[in-house]
Amino acid sequence: SGNSLTKSAVAVIRVSGDDAIQSILKMTDIVKKEERKELEREISDEVPENLMKKIKKKIPKKHLLLNWIYDSTPKKKIDHGFVVYFNKPNTYTGEEMVEFQTHGGRACIKDMLKSLSNIEHYRPAFPGEFTKRAFNNGKMNLEKVEGLGDLLNAETTKQRELALSQLSGKLTFEVEKWRRELILILSYFEAVIDFGEDDDIQIEEIDKSKKNINNLIQEIEKHVNNVNKGEILRNGFLISLFGPTNAGKSSILNCLVNREAAIVSPIEGTTRDFVEVKLDIAGYPVIISDSAGIRNTTDPVENIGVKRAKDRVKEADIKICVLDCKDYKEKLNDLKEFIKEDTIVVLNKVDLYEKKS
């Protein structure tokens, strides 16, 4: 069973394992009292076959049954909700599964989990254990497991789309296609080695196989490049605002996020450490970083901030250099080691000066 006590309208509590059916016997009256007399055994014993048939008949697989749910020990009502029985192997984990759908109040969830824990051999699931069992039972491969993790952690539309693509098995399909092509190419070259002197082996076919190998290499390299892009999309695009002190970097950050995320002051060196804010821009995850102004200083604390700012610029996917338009030429020269071809240079505070830059 799960162990979340988050308040909600509806709670879904799942039980997985060979003894999952015991939760129905112990916590519902689907099997009537007189019929329960057949089950005067320990929880670890097998459920009698005739009783199992009754349960399956009462709860068709993947169907909802509205029923009272009781505490497994004192037999007091906990809630009125749905019970679903899933018989293996057609379940998420590949094991017998029971699902309780109850009201999502904290007291309901707490008492449900406590009652389930009182059943012998029952315990709360570890984080990700249901998926681990699904993987061990061949219900999911590693690609789908990673895709599910990404889907659960997705915060933007593009992250969700990427996770769904992985969850659908797109990579597995591609790899299997490469595998078939490699086997075909290998088998042909083995035939050349074994029967190379025969007239049936055409030189054009050898050239064709070489071309297929080159095409396959290009496809794999393209996929590797896409993986790198996927990592950026998964973790978020890091945008670094950098430049000299008092250039207006913090003001730009506050404007972008539409709140006072960074302190703005006319005093130089106000920002000592970098400030990061996460944004969702057109479905893409973005992390905007405002850092200390880059300059030579004798202040040991500010020096630490400047060093961190320089490191952040080097790590950034998108670099934005913010300069005061009044003295941008002088400052631009001081920052030339950080400005590359893909750096975006922004001249700020143009509204404060009559002279256009």
Side-chain angles (χ1 to χ4, degrees):
S1 63
N3 55 7
S4 174
L5 293 180
T6 303
K7 184 179 178 181
S8 60
V10 177
V12 178
I13 301 172
R14 287 177 172 173
V15 182
S16 180
D18 293 337
D19 288 338
I21 203 73
Q22 295 290 349
S23 60
I24 293 181
L25 297 173
K26 294 289 182 180
M27 297 177 63
T28 72
D29 58 1
I30 293 170
V31 180
K32 301 304 178 184
K33 188 174 181 179
E34 55 273 13
E35 296 174 317
R36 287 176 180 271
K37 293 180 181 179
E38 301 178 35
L39 195 64
E40 296 176 352
R41 305 181 182 187
E42 293 293 328
I43 297 301
S44 58
D45 291 344
E46 290 185 359
V47 180
E49 187 177 346
N50 61 334
L51 195 54
M52 178 67 82
K53 289 180 179 178
K54 284 180 177 292
I55 294 172
K56 288 186 177 181
K57 188 176 180 180
K58 289 282 185 180
I59 311 179
K61 57 183 180 180
K62 301 180 182 178
H63 279 64
L64 296 171
L65 181 66
L66 186 63
N67 202 266
W68 281 107
I69 301 172
Y70 301 88
D71 194 317
S72 60
T73 308
K75 227 55 190 169
K76 294 181 179 178
K77 291 178 180 177
I78 296 178
D79 199 2
H80 196 235
F82 289 105
V83 182
V84 193
Y85 169 64
F86 301 90
N87 62 327
K88 65 178 181 182
N90 301 317
T91 66
Y92 178 78
T93 61
E95 303 170 335
E96 297 284 311
M97 285 186 66
V98 172
E99 186 175 285
F100 294 94
Q101 299 182 14
T102 68
H103 294 96
R106 291 187 179 91
C108 287
I109 299 173
K110 180 180 178 181
D111 290 342
M112 281 292 299
L113 297 179
K114 181 180 178 181
S115 180
L116 286 167
S117 296
N118 287 334
I119 301 176
E120 193 173 354
H121 303 308
Y122 276 45
R123 62 167 175 79
F126 297 118
E129 187 172 0
F130 274 51
T131 300
K132 180 181 179 181
R133 291 189 178 195
F135 176 76
N136 291 337
N137 292 326
K139 304 297 289 186
M140 301 178 76
N141 59 23
L142 185 59
E143 180 197 7
K144 291 185 177 181
V145 171
E146 291 179 344
L148 177 61
D150 289 343
L151 183 61
L152 295 176
N153 293 318
E155 296 179 353
T156 70
T157 299
K158 294 300 180 181
Q159 286 178 320
R160 177 186 59 78
E161 291 174 353
L162 178 66
L164 281 177
S165 175
Q166 191 169 353
L167 190 59
S168 66
K170 183 178 179 180
L171 176 59
T172 301
F173 176 80
E174 286 291 327
V175 172
E176 184 59 32
K177 186 184 75 169
W178 298 337
R179 177 178 173 274
R180 289 195 302 268
E181 290 179 5
L182 283 172
I183 291 174
L184 184 61
I185 293 170
L186 180 62
S187 63
Y188 185 79
F189 278 109
E190 287 180 346
V192 172
I193 293 171
D194 292 337
F195 311 105
E197 296 180 357
D198 294 354
D199 294 336
D200 293 338
I201 303 298
Q202 301 293 328
I203 191 66
E204 291 82 4
E205 293 297 325
I206 297 177
D207 293 337
K208 183 179 178 181
S209 295
K210 290 180 179 178
K211 184 178 179 181
N212 290 339
I213 292 173
N214 290 329
N215 291 339
L216 192 55
I217 291 173
Q218 290 176 8
E219 279 189 38
I220 295 174
E221 288 177 344
K222 182 180 178 181
H223 174 75
V224 171
N225 292 332
N226 287 336
V227 168
N228 295 333
K229 294 177 182 177
E231 282 298 318
I232 295 175
L233 182 57
R234 183 179 291 109
N235 298 324
F237 293 89
L238 177 58
I239 300 177
S240 176
L241 297 173
F242 74 98
T245 57
N246 223 26
K249 301 183 295 299
S250 297
S251 296
I252 291 177
L253 175 68
N254 291 341
C255 181
L256 289 173
V257 302
N258 199 28
R259 63 184 177 87
E260 295 294 320
I263 298 174
V264 176
S265 167
I267 302 172
E268 292 189 355
T270 300
T271 305
R272 297 295 185 95
D273 203 352
F274 57 79
V275 178
E276 290 188 342
V277 181
K278 291 184 178 181
L279 287 179
D280 179 347
I281 300 180
Y284 290 94
V286 172
I287 303 170
I288 300 181
S289 174
D290 174 29
S291 54
I294 298 175
R295 67 170 178 172
N296 294 322
T297 177
T298 57
D299 187 323
V301 176
E302 188 179 353
N303 256 328
I304 296 173
V306 171
K307 182 181 181 303
R308 290 185 178 182
K310 292 177 179 179
D311 292 340
R312 209 58 177 161
V313 172
K314 294 174 183 177
E315 296 170 357
D317 301 302
I318 300 175
K319 305 170 181 64
I320 301 178
C321 179
V322 181
L323 300 169
D324 189 324
C325 68
K326 184 179 181 181
D327 57 356
Y328 75 92
K329 291 182 180 179
E330 176 187 343
K331 300 296 184 182
L332 195 62
N333 187 59
D334 295 338
L335 297 168
K336 60 183 179 182
E337 65 174 294
F338 303 104
I339 298 176
K340 310 298 180 184
E341 290 184 0
D342 58 349
T343 302
I344 300 171
V345 177
V346 175
L347 300 184
N348 197 19
K349 302 185 181 182
V350 292
D351 55 319
L352 302 180
Y353 307 104
E354 295 180 357
K355 199 173 182 179
K356 294 185 177 180
S357 54

